[in-house]
């Protein structure tokens, strides 16, 4: 016969449960801090690359 594990009753368990919720995980907090930042970086990078390519094609006229 095995003994059942001891039961520990924590009076603060319900009040501290929110800390372990996935919404408050570090990764979720960082990704939600700047919504749309990744899309903006990709769009800006594409714009800069396209601008540089178009600027090289045009010859400066004096």
């Amino acid at each position: 016969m095995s003994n059942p594990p001891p039961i520990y009753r924590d009076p603060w368990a319900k009040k501290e449960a929110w800390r372990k919720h996935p919404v408050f995980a570090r990764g979720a907090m960082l990704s939600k801090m700047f919504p749309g930042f990744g899309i903006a970086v990709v769009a800006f990078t594409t714009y800069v690359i396209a601008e540089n390519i178009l600027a090289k094609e045009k010859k400066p006229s004096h």
Side-chain angles (χ1 to χ4, degrees), residues 4 11 16 22 27 29 35 39 45 49:
E16 296 292 323
M29 292 295 282
I39 295 171
T45 304
I49 291 171

Side-chain angles (χ1 to χ4, degrees), residues 33-55:
M33 191 180 299
F34 301 108
F37 182 71
I39 295 171
V41 168
V42 170
F44 182 72
T45 304
T46 304
Y47 168 76
V48 170
I49 291 171
E51 186 71 21
N52 286 335
I53 290 172
L54 292 175

